[in-house]
Amino acid sequence: GQNIDQPTEMTATEGAIVQINCTYQTSGFNGLFWYQQHAGEAPTFLSYNVLDGLEEKGRFSSFLSRSKGYSYLLLKELQMKDSASYLCAPLDSNYQLIWGAGTKLIIKP
Amino acid sequence: TAGITQAPTSQILAAGRSMTLRCTQDMRHNAMYWYRQDLGLGLRLIHYSNTAGTTGKGEVPDGYSVSRANTDDFPLTLASAVPSQTSVYFCASSESSGGSTDTQYFGPGTRLTVL
């Protein structure tokens, strides 16, 4: 079956760095997306990885290892507005997104 | 550019009644999707459409139907609502269905309560 595993909740301090891990098992693989979702709002696109390695985009970076079925999202210089859920979603062989339940990130002053 | 709009924002519906959730995008995207999101669960795909005139079933299609008469609109209909359909419904679209153009953009959601 297809499965996504992310921590349910994480807590970090404003100004610090946090890494949100995601492991996945899918039928085929065509890349992996990370989305951010603030409470009561729609998910918004953060990053897309299809090759192994690190993609950096401002304060956010995303890493992929296809052989390990593993990805992480790295958030630097945390701000209070980064309090949100972070959704890991690989694309399977049918180009369907398989969504994890998300990691709720709580930022404390 | 509005992106994706959904209507209504929220609705309380009596069990057994029918309802259509509306979704419109102005990005000329080929693919559109309907998801439901329940507490503690990931987004679950209800139905999708890769292009106007075609639709497909997702993970949880029972009790729902869709149509895709044109590129912009993708309504979701509940023929006879049941309490288990209480959820937040998101419509999304992507340029196409294949590769990096799969980036999905979401509407603001419809919060539906079935009593």
Side-chain angles (χ1 to χ4, degrees):
Chain A
Q2 309 205 92
N3 186 60
I4 313 299
D5 193 21
Q6 305 179 234
T8 302
E9 187 175 297
M10 299 180 70
T11 302
T13 304
E14 189 177 16
I17 300 173
V18 71
Q19 177 175 312
I20 302 174
N21 296 322
C22 171
T23 57
Y24 62 88
Q25 292 177 309
T26 55
S27 302
F29 181 78
N30 284 296
L32 185 142
F33 289 84
W34 283 95
Y35 280 76
Q36 180 190 60
Q37 185 176 25
H38 286 100
E41 298 183 8
T44 56
F45 168 74
L46 285 178
S47 67
Y48 171 70
N49 294 63
V50 66
L51 299 176
D52 289 351
L54 188 68
E55 295 271 349
E56 297 186 78
K57 192 185 295 185
R59 293 189 300 114
F60 291 11
S61 303
S62 55
F63 172 85
L64 176 67
S65 169
R66 290 172 295 173
S67 63
K68 295 182 179 179
Y70 169 68
S71 175
Y72 68 73
L73 183 68
L74 190 71
L75 291 74
K76 303 177 184 176
E77 300 170 15
L78 286 169
Q79 302 175 8
M80 297 304 292
K81 67 178 182 179
D82 298 330
S83 291
S85 289
Y86 292 86
L87 314 179
C88 169
L91 262 175
D92 71 7
S93 57
N94 294 320
Y95 292 95
Q96 297 281 359
L97 277 175
I98 310 301
W99 296 88
T103 298
K104 183 179 180 180
L105 179 63
I106 300 168
I107 309 297
K108 294 185 175 180
Chain B
T1 301
I4 301 182
T5 58
Q6 292 184 237
T9 302
S10 64
Q11 183 75 43
I12 299 174
L13 187 67
R17 300 296 295 267
S18 66
M19 177 168 185
T20 295
L21 280 60
R22 300 185 297 279
C23 174
T24 300
Q25 53 103 358
D26 64 2
M27 297 178 282
R28 308 304 294 171
H29 282 174
N30 287 309
M32 296 187 75
Y33 314 84
W34 274 106
Y35 292 95
R36 60 178 290 173
Q37 188 174 40
D38 302 292
L39 197 64
L41 299 177
L43 289 160
R44 292 185 291 170
L45 183 65
I46 303 170
H47 285 287
Y48 64 93
S49 169
N50 287 333
T51 189
T54 69
T55 62
K57 293 182 179 181
E59 178 186 358
V60 288
D62 294 344
Y64 306 95
S65 63
V66 291
S67 61
R68 186 89 184 277
N70 57 60
T71 297
D72 299 344
D73 301 299
F74 192 42
L76 176 74
T77 297
L78 288 68
S80 179
V82 295
S84 62
Q85 292 178 310
T86 294
S87 188
V88 180
Y89 291 86
F90 287 106
C91 178
S93 71
S94 64
E95 189 175 331
S96 67
S97 57
S100 61
T101 54
D102 278 275
T103 301
Q104 293 187 15
Y105 298 91
F106 286 78
T110 293
R111 186 174 297 274
L112 179 67
T113 302
V114 182
L115 301 176

